Amino acid sequence: SFPSARGRMFTYFDVASSYFHSIDAALSIRKAAPTTVFVVPLMDPIQRTLSQYYSHTKELSKDCYDVPIEDYLQQEIDILTACKIPVKFPSTPWKANEVPKKCQILSTKCEDFEFNPKQKTISLHSHGAFLTEALYSYHFNHWFSYFDRKQFHVVTLDSLDLPSPTLWRFLGVDPELWLKEFIDDIEPVMDYKSAAKSNTLKWLRKFF
C-alpha cells in the first residue's frame, strides 16, 4: 500500500517473473517503494527450465523450432564459464550444436551476468538463461540484500489456485479480492518433463 497524492492509501499489484533474477529490479523497487511485500510463487526448477525453453522458443521463427533445449543449455553453460560465473555444472551427456544466430535468446555479454561472491548472488540482464533463472537461492540472496526477509512470502505455483489464509494475512487484504475470474485466468502448470529426453532430465536432476 502506498499513500496517494490525495492522502488516501491504495494498493498496487504487479506481476513479472523476470524481476526475480533481474540485476536492476530490486534496487529500483527499493528506491520507489521500500515497504513493498512480495509473493514469490516457485516452480519445480526442472519444470521451470523446460517451461522457459518452450515459452521463449515459441516466439521465434519457425526455423528455430527444431533447435533442441540441449543446444540452449550448452550455450548457457559455455557463456557462464567464459564469463567466470562460478556455477558448477555436471558433465553433459549430449553433443550440442551451436545455436543459430537468429535463434539466440541469451546475451553473450559478460556484463549482463553479475556475480557477487560476498553475498552469493547471481543477477541477470538477459532472457534465456534457463538454468540460471532457476537457481533460486542466488536470487533470494540478491533480494534479501535490499529488503527484509519478512517482506517475502514464498509459495508453490500450484497453491495459487486456492490461496491460503496465511497468504491473505501476509498481504493484508480481503480474500474476497480473489475473484473467480482471476482463478479462471490462471493457466494450468504443464508437465513438460514428459517432452524431455531421459538423459537430459537425469542431468537436470543432478544439476539442481
Side-chain angles (χ1 to χ4, degrees):
S1 297
F2 312 104
S4 68
R6 297 182 179 179
R8 292 180 297 180
M9 299 295 292
F10 70 94
T11 300
Y12 176 77
F13 298 94
D14 193 19
V15 180
S17 61
S18 60
Y19 287 172
F20 192 42
H21 54 265
S22 167
I23 289 175
D24 304 318
L27 179 58
S28 297
I29 296 173
R30 172 74 182 181
K31 288 180 177 179
T35 60
T36 297
V37 294
F38 304 90
V39 175
V40 187
L42 296 183
M43 217 175 161
D44 174 326
I46 296 176
Q47 286 278 29
R48 190 190 191 286
T49 299
L50 299 172
S51 172
Q52 288 295 295
Y53 162 70
Y54 285 106
S55 176
H56 283 289
T57 54
K58 74 178 182 181
E59 304 297 329
L60 302 175
S61 67
K62 291 184 178 180
D63 296 339
C64 301
Y65 289 179
D66 292 331
V67 179
I69 188 173
E70 291 80 9
D71 290 358
Y72 285 101
L73 298 182
Q74 189 62 54
Q75 181 190 46
E76 181 177 354
I77 292 170
D78 293 343
I79 291 172
L80 292 182
T81 301
C83 294
K84 299 181 180 180
I85 304 297
V87 176
K88 294 182 179 180
F89 297 105
S91 56
T92 56
W94 55 74
K95 184 177 180 180
N97 295 310
E98 185 176 348
V99 176
K101 192 170 183 178
K102 62 183 176 181
C103 303
Q104 292 186 9
I105 305 168
L106 185 63
S107 170
T108 59
K109 299 177 181 178
C110 290
E111 58 262 35
D112 290 331
F113 303 86
E114 186 176 287
F115 173 70
N116 185 317
K118 185 176 180 180
Q119 296 176 344
K120 295 183 179 179
T121 66
I122 297 176
S123 303
L124 310 171
H125 195 63
S126 173
H127 294 294
F130 305 140
L131 296 169
T132 313
E133 289 177 12
L135 294 175
Y136 300 142
S137 63
Y138 286 104
H139 308 316
F140 273 120
N141 288 341
H142 175 69
W143 282 84
F144 291 160
S145 69
Y146 291 97
F147 296 92
D148 192 293
R149 296 186 182 213
K150 295 179 180 178
Q151 291 173 249
F152 295 82
H153 185 76
V154 182
V155 296
T156 63
L157 188 60
D158 292 341
S159 70
L160 291 183
D161 289 343
L162 188 62
S164 69
T166 304
L167 174 59
W168 296 124
R169 287 194 296 271
F170 173 77
L171 292 174
V173 297
D174 190 331
E176 295 301 320
L177 288 176
W178 196 255
L179 303 177
K180 184 178 183 296
E181 299 89 275
F182 293 173
I183 298 177
D184 291 342
D185 287 342
I186 296 176
E187 295 183 5
V189 178
M190 303 294 291
D191 182 7
Y192 291 103
K193 290 182 181 179
S194 59
K197 295 179 181 178
S198 59
N199 61 348
T200 302
L201 275 178
K202 186 176 180 180
W203 184 89
L204 287 170
R205 292 190 191 99
K206 190 174 182 180
F207 173 67
F208 287 114

